[in-house]
Amino acid sequence: MGKLQDKVAVVTGAGRGIGKAIAEKFASEGAKVAIISRTEANSQAAAEAINAKYPGAAKGYAVDVANGPDVAELGKIILADFDHVDILVNNAGVTKDGLLLRMSEEDWDFVLDTNLKGAFNMVKAFQRSILKQKGARIINVASVIGLIGNAGQANYAASKAGLIGFTKSLAREFAGRGVTANVIAPGFIATDMTGVLDEKVKAAVLEKIPLADFGQAEDIAAAATFLASAEARYITGQVLAVDGGMVM
């Protein structure tokens, strides 16, 4: 029996990277997982890879989480397929970096719509089911940038800081139903997105990490599994930085 045996989880941004690692870890712990990605190809590929290890554990879906009506419709489909949702992980995120002097309104809206409004849309789509499930969990994946800010990432920092405030409000609103809501704030995690960075940039980042190493997607997946499990029943409204000591 896994830590998440017979639970139903929805994970956004699960076509690759951190989201996929979370979905796979959940499946390994006995959960059924609805994998959401922006593209059908990525969601199906991730589901197939997980099902190869854990038969029947995953099903893929495609949606732009920034599109409220589309998310609402997908929510109905997922609930029809799985009956209910116990765990919601809002991991979908994008960047559109640039100094504020040159940042367009479109760049701002693109990041805020996906990273922050996307989480709102997903919670709205599943909140009735979540509130009915004993010990349901909401886990929002933010970033240490939402805690400390970063030059050239005003939009991204604002979206992740907003996600933290959103989560704390959810924690207070849903606590009466036994639902917890927490944030994971990853530091520098080795993914496809960070892999394209210049080696000098990576070296500069390493100097700021006390543990002197980059995190792995599996580190975030482990934290998410803990927060989703019964072991974390008395933890809500918190921000768990998984960053090698980068922010403390």
PDB file of all heavy atoms in Angstrom, residues 114-150:
ATOM      1  N   THR A 114      -1.104  32.408 -16.936  1.00  0.00           N
ATOM      2  CA  THR A 114      -0.804  30.983 -16.783  1.00  0.00           C
ATOM      3  C   THR A 114      -0.461  30.631 -15.347  1.00  0.00           C
ATOM      4  O   THR A 114      -1.043  29.717 -14.749  1.00  0.00           O
ATOM      5  CB  THR A 114       0.365  30.575 -17.699  1.00  0.00           C
ATOM      6  OG1 THR A 114      -0.017  30.770 -19.063  1.00  0.00           O
ATOM      7  CG2 THR A 114       0.743  29.115 -17.485  1.00  0.00           C
ATOM      8  N   ASN A 115       0.477  31.351 -14.765  1.00  0.00           N
ATOM      9  CA  ASN A 115       1.024  30.972 -13.462  1.00  0.00           C
ATOM     10  C   ASN A 115       0.078  31.227 -12.296  1.00  0.00           C
ATOM     11  O   ASN A 115       0.086  30.479 -11.317  1.00  0.00           O
ATOM     12  CB  ASN A 115       2.330  31.713 -13.209  1.00  0.00           C
ATOM     13  CG  ASN A 115       3.402  31.383 -14.223  1.00  0.00           C
ATOM     14  OD1 ASN A 115       3.166  30.644 -15.178  1.00  0.00           O
ATOM     15  ND2 ASN A 115       4.585  31.937 -14.047  1.00  0.00           N
ATOM     16  N   LEU A 116      -0.706  32.290 -12.381  1.00  0.00           N
ATOM     17  CA  LEU A 116      -1.582  32.648 -11.264  1.00  0.00           C
ATOM     18  C   LEU A 116      -3.062  32.391 -11.574  1.00  0.00           C
ATOM     19  O   LEU A 116      -3.735  31.657 -10.854  1.00  0.00           O
ATOM     20  CB  LEU A 116      -1.366  34.112 -10.880  1.00  0.00           C
ATOM     21  CG  LEU A 116      -2.132  34.630  -9.662  1.00  0.00           C
ATOM     22  CD1 LEU A 116      -1.897  33.743  -8.445  1.00  0.00           C
ATOM     23  CD2 LEU A 116      -1.741  36.076  -9.360  1.00  0.00           C
ATOM     24  N   LYS A 117      -3.542  32.961 -12.667  1.00  0.00           N
ATOM     25  CA  LYS A 117      -4.949  32.725 -12.999  1.00  0.00           C
ATOM     26  C   LYS A 117      -5.188  31.258 -13.336  1.00  0.00           C
ATOM     27  O   LYS A 117      -6.275  30.725 -13.077  1.00  0.00           O
ATOM     28  CB  LYS A 117      -5.389  33.612 -14.167  1.00  0.00           C
ATOM     29  CG  LYS A 117      -6.905  33.595 -14.379  1.00  0.00           C
ATOM     30  CD  LYS A 117      -7.362  34.619 -15.391  1.00  0.00           C
ATOM     31  CE  LYS A 117      -7.107  34.141 -16.810  1.00  0.00           C
ATOM     32  NZ  LYS A 117      -7.711  35.039 -17.814  1.00  0.00           N
ATOM     33  N   GLY A 118      -4.181  30.590 -13.881  1.00  0.00           N
ATOM     34  CA  GLY A 118      -4.320  29.167 -14.177  1.00  0.00           C
ATOM     35  C   GLY A 118      -4.632  28.358 -12.933  1.00  0.00           C
ATOM     36  O   GLY A 118      -5.463  27.446 -12.958  1.00  0.00           O
ATOM     37  N   ALA A 119      -3.963  28.692 -11.823  1.00  0.00           N
ATOM     38  CA  ALA A 119      -4.224  27.991 -10.560  1.00  0.00           C
ATOM     39  C   ALA A 119      -5.642  28.286 -10.074  1.00  0.00           C
ATOM     40  O   ALA A 119      -6.345  27.387  -9.587  1.00  0.00           O
ATOM     41  CB  ALA A 119      -3.203  28.405  -9.513  1.00  0.00           C
ATOM     42  N   PHE A 120      -6.056  29.540 -10.204  1.00  0.00           N
ATOM     43  CA  PHE A 120      -7.424  29.922  -9.843  1.00  0.00           C
ATOM     44  C   PHE A 120      -8.433  29.116 -10.660  1.00  0.00           C
ATOM     45  O   PHE A 120      -9.403  28.567 -10.119  1.00  0.00           O
ATOM     46  CB  PHE A 120      -7.617  31.416 -10.084  1.00  0.00           C
ATOM     47  CG  PHE A 120      -9.052  31.877 -10.072  1.00  0.00           C
ATOM     48  CD1 PHE A 120      -9.720  32.086  -8.873  1.00  0.00           C
ATOM     49  CD2 PHE A 120      -9.735  32.101 -11.257  1.00  0.00           C
ATOM     50  CE1 PHE A 120     -11.046  32.509  -8.857  1.00  0.00           C
ATOM     51  CE2 PHE A 120     -11.055  32.526 -11.253  1.00  0.00           C
ATOM     52  CZ  PHE A 120     -11.718  32.727 -10.047  1.00  0.00           C
ATOM     53  N   ASN A 121      -8.206  29.031 -11.969  1.00  0.00           N
ATOM     54  CA  ASN A 121      -9.120  28.292 -12.841  1.00  0.00           C
ATOM     55  C   ASN A 121      -9.223  26.827 -12.438  1.00  0.00           C
ATOM     56  O   ASN A 121     -10.314  26.236 -12.436  1.00  0.00           O
ATOM     57  CB  ASN A 121      -8.662  28.396 -14.299  1.00  0.00           C
ATOM     58  CG  ASN A 121      -8.868  29.771 -14.893  1.00  0.00           C
ATOM     59  OD1 ASN A 121      -9.705  30.552 -14.416  1.00  0.00           O
ATOM     60  ND2 ASN A 121      -8.117  30.087 -15.938  1.00  0.00           N
ATOM     61  N   MET A 122      -8.097  26.225 -12.110  1.00  0.00           N
ATOM     62  CA  MET A 122      -8.090  24.813 -11.741  1.00  0.00           C
ATOM     63  C   MET A 122      -8.811  24.572 -10.415  1.00  0.00           C
ATOM     64  O   MET A 122      -9.582  23.607 -10.272  1.00  0.00           O
ATOM     65  CB  MET A 122      -6.641  24.297 -11.656  1.00  0.00           C
ATOM     66  CG  MET A 122      -5.920  24.229 -12.996  1.00  0.00           C
ATOM     67  SD  MET A 122      -6.689  23.079 -14.175  1.00  0.00           S
ATOM     68  CE  MET A 122      -6.509  21.544 -13.277  1.00  0.00           C
ATOM     69  N   VAL A 123      -8.574  25.428  -9.447  1.00  0.00           N
ATOM     70  CA  VAL A 123      -9.262  25.273  -8.158  1.00  0.00           C
ATOM     71  C   VAL A 123     -10.763  25.437  -8.345  1.00  0.00           C
ATOM     72  O   VAL A 123     -11.560  24.666  -7.794  1.00  0.00           O
ATOM     73  CB  VAL A 123      -8.718  26.279  -7.123  1.00  0.00           C
ATOM     74  CG1 VAL A 123      -9.579  26.251  -5.852  1.00  0.00           C
ATOM     75  CG2 VAL A 123      -7.270  25.965  -6.776  1.00  0.00           C
ATOM     76  N   LYS A 124     -11.177  26.417  -9.135  1.00  0.00           N
ATOM     77  CA  LYS A 124     -12.605  26.618  -9.391  1.00  0.00           C
ATOM     78  C   LYS A 124     -13.225  25.386 -10.044  1.00  0.00           C
ATOM     79  O   LYS A 124     -14.357  25.006  -9.734  1.00  0.00           O
ATOM     80  CB  LYS A 124     -12.812  27.843 -10.290  1.00  0.00           C
ATOM     81  CG  LYS A 124     -12.478  29.164  -9.638  1.00  0.00           C
ATOM     82  CD  LYS A 124     -13.482  29.550  -8.555  1.00  0.00           C
ATOM     83  CE  LYS A 124     -14.790  30.016  -9.141  1.00  0.00           C
ATOM     84  NZ  LYS A 124     -15.730  30.490  -8.087  1.00  0.00           N
ATOM     85  N   ALA A 125     -12.482  24.740 -10.937  1.00  0.00           N
ATOM     86  CA  ALA A 125     -13.007  23.583 -11.657  1.00  0.00           C
ATOM     87  C   ALA A 125     -13.218  22.375 -10.750  1.00  0.00           C
ATOM     88  O   ALA A 125     -14.118  21.565 -10.991  1.00  0.00           O
ATOM     89  CB  ALA A 125     -12.068  23.219 -12.805  1.00  0.00           C
ATOM     90  N   PHE A 126     -12.395  22.250  -9.705  1.00  0.00           N
ATOM     91  CA  PHE A 126     -12.439  21.042  -8.879  1.00  0.00           C
ATOM     92  C   PHE A 126     -12.811  21.286  -7.420  1.00  0.00           C
ATOM     93  O   PHE A 126     -12.866  20.336  -6.637  1.00  0.00           O
ATOM     94  CB  PHE A 126     -11.083  20.322  -8.931  1.00  0.00           C
ATOM     95  CG  PHE A 126     -10.740  19.785 -10.287  1.00  0.00           C
ATOM     96  CD1 PHE A 126      -9.793  20.413 -11.086  1.00  0.00           C
ATOM     97  CD2 PHE A 126     -11.382  18.657 -10.789  1.00  0.00           C
ATOM     98  CE1 PHE A 126      -9.486  19.930 -12.344  1.00  0.00           C
ATOM     99  CE2 PHE A 126     -11.081  18.165 -12.048  1.00  0.00           C
ATOM    100  CZ  PHE A 126     -10.125  18.803 -12.832  1.00  0.00           C
ATOM    101  N   GLN A 127     -13.098  22.513  -7.044  1.00  0.00           N
ATOM    102  CA  GLN A 127     -13.273  22.805  -5.623  1.00  0.00           C
ATOM    103  C   GLN A 127     -14.437  22.042  -4.976  1.00  0.00           C
ATOM    104  O   GLN A 127     -14.320  21.596  -3.826  1.00  0.00           O
ATOM    105  CB  GLN A 127     -13.439  24.308  -5.399  1.00  0.00           C
ATOM    106  CG  GLN A 127     -14.659  24.935  -6.037  1.00  0.00           C
ATOM    107  CD  GLN A 127     -14.720  26.439  -5.781  1.00  0.00           C
ATOM    108  OE1 GLN A 127     -14.032  26.973  -4.924  1.00  0.00           O
ATOM    109  NE2 GLN A 127     -15.560  27.132  -6.542  1.00  0.00           N
ATOM    110  N   ARG A 128     -15.537  21.875  -5.693  1.00  0.00           N
ATOM    111  CA  ARG A 128     -16.666  21.163  -5.085  1.00  0.00           C
ATOM    112  C   ARG A 128     -16.301  19.718  -4.758  1.00  0.00           C
ATOM    113  O   ARG A 128     -16.668  19.194  -3.701  1.00  0.00           O
ATOM    114  CB  ARG A 128     -17.883  21.226  -6.006  1.00  0.00           C
ATOM    115  CG  ARG A 128     -18.448  22.630  -6.162  1.00  0.00           C
ATOM    116  CD  ARG A 128     -19.751  22.626  -6.950  1.00  0.00           C
ATOM    117  NE  ARG A 128     -20.229  23.979  -7.179  1.00  0.00           N
ATOM    118  CZ  ARG A 128     -20.903  24.702  -6.291  1.00  0.00           C
ATOM    119  NH1 ARG A 128     -21.184  24.183  -5.109  1.00  0.00           N
ATOM    120  NH2 ARG A 128     -21.298  25.922  -6.579  1.00  0.00           N
ATOM    121  N   SER A 129     -15.579  19.076  -5.669  1.00  0.00           N
ATOM    122  CA  SER A 129     -15.153  17.701  -5.422  1.00  0.00           C
ATOM    123  C   SER A 129     -14.132  17.646  -4.298  1.00  0.00           C
ATOM    124  O   SER A 129     -14.209  16.786  -3.408  1.00  0.00           O
ATOM    125  CB  SER A 129     -14.552  17.093  -6.696  1.00  0.00           C
ATOM    126  OG  SER A 129     -14.119  15.762  -6.452  1.00  0.00           O
ATOM    127  N   ILE A 130     -13.175  18.568  -4.320  1.00  0.00           N
ATOM    128  CA  ILE A 130     -12.136  18.591  -3.290  1.00  0.00           C
ATOM    129  C   ILE A 130     -12.733  18.793  -1.907  1.00  0.00           C
ATOM    130  O   ILE A 130     -12.337  18.138  -0.937  1.00  0.00           O
ATOM    131  CB  ILE A 130     -11.111  19.708  -3.621  1.00  0.00           C
ATOM    132  CG1 ILE A 130     -10.228  19.272  -4.801  1.00  0.00           C
ATOM    133  CG2 ILE A 130     -10.249  20.048  -2.405  1.00  0.00           C
ATOM    134  CD1 ILE A 130      -9.332  20.366  -5.343  1.00  0.00           C
ATOM    135  N   LEU A 131     -13.692  19.695  -1.798  1.00  0.00           N
ATOM    136  CA  LEU A 131     -14.294  19.984  -0.494  1.00  0.00           C
ATOM    137  C   LEU A 131     -15.099  18.809   0.060  1.00  0.00           C
ATOM    138  O   LEU A 131     -15.378  18.749   1.261  1.00  0.00           O
ATOM    139  CB  LEU A 131     -15.179  21.233  -0.592  1.00  0.00           C
ATOM    140  CG  LEU A 131     -14.416  22.550  -0.766  1.00  0.00           C
ATOM    141  CD1 LEU A 131     -15.376  23.681  -1.102  1.00  0.00           C
ATOM    142  CD2 LEU A 131     -13.611  22.881   0.487  1.00  0.00           C
ATOM    143  N   LYS A 132     -15.465  17.875  -0.813  1.00  0.00           N
ATOM    144  CA  LYS A 132     -16.222  16.698  -0.372  1.00  0.00           C
ATOM    145  C   LYS A 132     -15.308  15.557   0.079  1.00  0.00           C
ATOM    146  O   LYS A 132     -15.772  14.600   0.706  1.00  0.00           O
ATOM    147  CB  LYS A 132     -17.121  16.194  -1.504  1.00  0.00           C
ATOM    148  CG  LYS A 132     -18.276  17.126  -1.840  1.00  0.00           C
ATOM    149  CD  LYS A 132     -19.079  16.572  -3.012  1.00  0.00           C
ATOM    150  CE  LYS A 132     -20.226  17.504  -3.392  1.00  0.00           C
ATOM    151  NZ  LYS A 132     -20.965  17.004  -4.578  1.00  0.00           N
ATOM    152  N   GLN A 133     -14.027  15.641  -0.258  1.00  0.00           N
ATOM    153  CA  GLN A 133     -13.107  14.544   0.038  1.00  0.00           C
ATOM    154  C   GLN A 133     -12.398  14.766   1.371  1.00  0.00           C
ATOM    155  O   GLN A 133     -11.776  15.807   1.581  1.00  0.00           O
ATOM    156  CB  GLN A 133     -12.061  14.401  -1.075  1.00  0.00           C
ATOM    157  CG  GLN A 133     -12.641  14.186  -2.447  1.00  0.00           C
ATOM    158  CD  GLN A 133     -13.638  13.051  -2.493  1.00  0.00           C
ATOM    159  OE1 GLN A 133     -13.362  11.958  -2.018  1.00  0.00           O
ATOM    160  NE2 GLN A 133     -14.805  13.315  -3.074  1.00  0.00           N
ATOM    161  N   LYS A 134     -12.485  13.810   2.254  1.00  0.00           N
ATOM    162  CA  LYS A 134     -11.804  13.913   3.538  1.00  0.00           C
ATOM    163  C   LYS A 134     -10.293  13.922   3.326  1.00  0.00           C
ATOM    164  O   LYS A 134      -9.744  13.050   2.667  1.00  0.00           O
ATOM    165  CB  LYS A 134     -12.203  12.732   4.424  1.00  0.00           C
ATOM    166  CG  LYS A 134     -11.609  12.804   5.831  1.00  0.00           C
ATOM    167  CD  LYS A 134     -12.085  11.652   6.691  1.00  0.00           C
ATOM    168  CE  LYS A 134     -11.482  11.735   8.085  1.00  0.00           C
ATOM    169  NZ  LYS A 134     -11.934  10.604   8.940  1.00  0.00           N
ATOM    170  N   GLY A 135      -9.631  14.921   3.855  1.00  0.00           N
ATOM    171  CA  GLY A 135      -8.178  14.998   3.754  1.00  0.00           C
ATOM    172  C   GLY A 135      -7.676  15.363   2.373  1.00  0.00           C
ATOM    173  O   GLY A 135      -6.570  14.980   1.987  1.00  0.00           O
ATOM    174  N   ALA A 136      -8.467  16.099   1.608  1.00  0.00           N
ATOM    175  CA  ALA A 136      -8.024  16.511   0.272  1.00  0.00           C
ATOM    176  C   ALA A 136      -6.863  17.506   0.376  1.00  0.00           C
ATOM    177  O   ALA A 136      -6.684  18.175   1.400  1.00  0.00           O
ATOM    178  CB  ALA A 136      -9.180  17.115  -0.507  1.00  0.00           C
ATOM    179  N   ARG A 137      -6.108  17.600  -0.711  1.00  0.00           N
ATOM    180  CA  ARG A 137      -4.904  18.424  -0.705  1.00  0.00           C
ATOM    181  C   ARG A 137      -4.842  19.318  -1.952  1.00  0.00           C
ATOM    182  O   ARG A 137      -5.135  18.869  -3.070  1.00  0.00           O
ATOM    183  CB  ARG A 137      -3.644  17.545  -0.713  1.00  0.00           C
ATOM    184  CG  ARG A 137      -3.578  16.507   0.408  1.00  0.00           C
ATOM    185  CD  ARG A 137      -3.175  17.181   1.714  1.00  0.00           C
ATOM    186  NE  ARG A 137      -2.864  16.209   2.741  1.00  0.00           N
ATOM    187  CZ  ARG A 137      -3.683  15.883   3.733  1.00  0.00           C
ATOM    188  NH1 ARG A 137      -4.894  16.441   3.798  1.00  0.00           N
ATOM    189  NH2 ARG A 137      -3.319  15.008   4.648  1.00  0.00           N
ATOM    190  N   ILE A 138      -4.413  20.561  -1.738  1.00  0.00           N
ATOM    191  CA  ILE A 138      -4.059  21.452  -2.838  1.00  0.00           C
ATOM    192  C   ILE A 138      -2.596  21.828  -2.660  1.00  0.00           C
ATOM    193  O   ILE A 138      -2.192  22.282  -1.579  1.00  0.00           O
ATOM    194  CB  ILE A 138      -4.930  22.720  -2.852  1.00  0.00           C
ATOM    195  CG1 ILE A 138      -6.397  22.361  -3.077  1.00  0.00           C
ATOM    196  CG2 ILE A 138      -4.454  23.680  -3.943  1.00  0.00           C
ATOM    197  CD1 ILE A 138      -7.345  23.539  -2.923  1.00  0.00           C
ATOM    198  N   ILE A 139      -1.810  21.596  -3.695  1.00  0.00           N
ATOM    199  CA  ILE A 139      -0.380  21.908  -3.659  1.00  0.00           C
ATOM    200  C   ILE A 139      -0.067  22.800  -4.853  1.00  0.00           C
ATOM    201  O   ILE A 139      -0.266  22.398  -6.006  1.00  0.00           O
ATOM    202  CB  ILE A 139       0.480  20.625  -3.715  1.00  0.00           C
ATOM    203  CG1 ILE A 139       0.135  19.704  -2.541  1.00  0.00           C
ATOM    204  CG2 ILE A 139       1.963  20.985  -3.713  1.00  0.00           C
ATOM    205  CD1 ILE A 139       0.717  18.308  -2.684  1.00  0.00           C
ATOM    206  N   ASN A 140       0.388  24.003  -4.578  1.00  0.00           N
ATOM    207  CA  ASN A 140       0.736  24.940  -5.636  1.00  0.00           C
ATOM    208  C   ASN A 140       2.250  25.084  -5.722  1.00  0.00           C
ATOM    209  O   ASN A 140       2.921  25.309  -4.706  1.00  0.00           O
ATOM    210  CB  ASN A 140       0.082  26.304  -5.378  1.00  0.00           C
ATOM    211  CG  ASN A 140      -1.429  26.243  -5.511  1.00  0.00           C
ATOM    212  OD1 ASN A 140      -1.949  25.484  -6.322  1.00  0.00           O
ATOM    213  ND2 ASN A 140      -2.139  27.017  -4.712  1.00  0.00           N
ATOM    214  N   VAL A 141       2.780  24.934  -6.914  1.00  0.00           N
ATOM    215  CA  VAL A 141       4.223  25.013  -7.121  1.00  0.00           C
ATOM    216  C   VAL A 141       4.577  26.434  -7.525  1.00  0.00           C
ATOM    217  O   VAL A 141       4.242  26.887  -8.620  1.00  0.00           O
ATOM    218  CB  VAL A 141       4.695  24.005  -8.183  1.00  0.00           C
ATOM    219  CG1 VAL A 141       6.204  24.111  -8.369  1.00  0.00           C
ATOM    220  CG2 VAL A 141       4.300  22.576  -7.773  1.00  0.00           C
ATOM    221  N   ALA A 142       5.243  27.133  -6.632  1.00  0.00           N
ATOM    222  CA  ALA A 142       5.648  28.520  -6.877  1.00  0.00           C
ATOM    223  C   ALA A 142       7.125  28.546  -7.255  1.00  0.00           C
ATOM    224  O   ALA A 142       7.564  27.808  -8.134  1.00  0.00           O
ATOM    225  CB  ALA A 142       5.353  29.380  -5.648  1.00  0.00           C
ATOM    226  N   SER A 143       7.915  29.350  -6.572  1.00  0.00           N
ATOM    227  CA  SER A 143       9.346  29.461  -6.833  1.00  0.00           C
ATOM    228  C   SER A 143       9.966  30.327  -5.747  1.00  0.00           C
ATOM    229  O   SER A 143       9.294  31.201  -5.179  1.00  0.00           O
ATOM    230  CB  SER A 143       9.590  30.119  -8.202  1.00  0.00           C
ATOM    231  OG  SER A 143      10.951  30.490  -8.358  1.00  0.00           O
ATOM    232  N   VAL A 144      11.239  30.109  -5.477  1.00  0.00           N
ATOM    233  CA  VAL A 144      11.923  31.004  -4.539  1.00  0.00           C
ATOM    234  C   VAL A 144      11.939  32.436  -5.070  1.00  0.00           C
ATOM    235  O   VAL A 144      12.066  33.390  -4.296  1.00  0.00           O
ATOM    236  CB  VAL A 144      13.363  30.535  -4.255  1.00  0.00           C
ATOM    237  CG1 VAL A 144      13.364  29.218  -3.492  1.00  0.00           C
ATOM    238  CG2 VAL A 144      14.178  30.420  -5.536  1.00  0.00           C
ATOM    239  N   ILE A 145      11.784  32.594  -6.394  1.00  0.00           N
ATOM    240  CA  ILE A 145      11.735  33.941  -6.964  1.00  0.00           C
ATOM    241  C   ILE A 145      10.512  34.693  -6.447  1.00  0.00           C
ATOM    242  O   ILE A 145      10.524  35.927  -6.325  1.00  0.00           O
ATOM    243  CB  ILE A 145      11.718  33.884  -8.505  1.00  0.00           C
ATOM    244  CG1 ILE A 145      12.978  33.181  -9.022  1.00  0.00           C
ATOM    245  CG2 ILE A 145      11.617  35.279  -9.108  1.00  0.00           C
ATOM    246  CD1 ILE A 145      14.276  33.791  -8.543  1.00  0.00           C
ATOM    247  N   GLY A 146       9.457  33.987  -6.096  1.00  0.00           N
ATOM    248  CA  GLY A 146       8.281  34.609  -5.504  1.00  0.00           C
ATOM    249  C   GLY A 146       8.535  35.095  -4.089  1.00  0.00           C
ATOM    250  O   GLY A 146       7.760  35.898  -3.559  1.00  0.00           O
ATOM    251  N   LEU A 147       9.625  34.627  -3.470  1.00  0.00           N
ATOM    252  CA  LEU A 147       9.993  35.044  -2.120  1.00  0.00           C
ATOM    253  C   LEU A 147      11.011  36.174  -2.120  1.00  0.00           C
ATOM    254  O   LEU A 147      10.988  37.033  -1.231  1.00  0.00           O
ATOM    255  CB  LEU A 147      10.574  33.848  -1.345  1.00  0.00           C
ATOM    256  CG  LEU A 147       9.642  32.663  -1.107  1.00  0.00           C
ATOM    257  CD1 LEU A 147      10.421  31.496  -0.518  1.00  0.00           C
ATOM    258  CD2 LEU A 147       8.510  33.064  -0.176  1.00  0.00           C
ATOM    259  N   ILE A 148      11.900  36.187  -3.100  1.00  0.00           N
ATOM    260  CA  ILE A 148      13.006  37.160  -3.071  1.00  0.00           C
ATOM    261  C   ILE A 148      13.031  38.094  -4.272  1.00  0.00           C
ATOM    262  O   ILE A 148      13.774  39.070  -4.278  1.00  0.00           O
ATOM    263  CB  ILE A 148      14.370  36.434  -2.981  1.00  0.00           C
ATOM    264  CG1 ILE A 148      14.600  35.538  -4.206  1.00  0.00           C
ATOM    265  CG2 ILE A 148      14.451  35.630  -1.687  1.00  0.00           C
ATOM    266  CD1 ILE A 148      15.962  34.862  -4.252  1.00  0.00           C
ATOM    267  N   GLY A 149      12.225  37.812  -5.315  1.00  0.00           N
ATOM    268  CA  GLY A 149      12.258  38.625  -6.523  1.00  0.00           C
ATOM    269  C   GLY A 149      13.509  38.360  -7.341  1.00  0.00           C
ATOM    270  O   GLY A 149      14.436  37.685  -6.898  1.00  0.00           O
ATOM    271  N   ASN A 150      13.526  38.903  -8.563  1.00  0.00           N
ATOM    272  CA  ASN A 150      14.707  38.738  -9.409  1.00  0.00           C
ATOM    273  C   ASN A 150      14.660  39.753 -10.537  1.00  0.00           C
ATOM    274  O   ASN A 150      13.612  39.935 -11.176  1.00  0.00           O
ATOM    275  CB  ASN A 150      14.749  37.324 -10.002  1.00  0.00           C
ATOM    276  CG  ASN A 150      16.095  37.002 -10.619  1.00  0.00           C
ATOM    277  OD1 ASN A 150      17.130  37.472 -10.155  1.00  0.00           O
ATOM    278  ND2 ASN A 150      16.087  36.203 -11.665  1.00  0.00           N
TER     279      ASN A 150
END
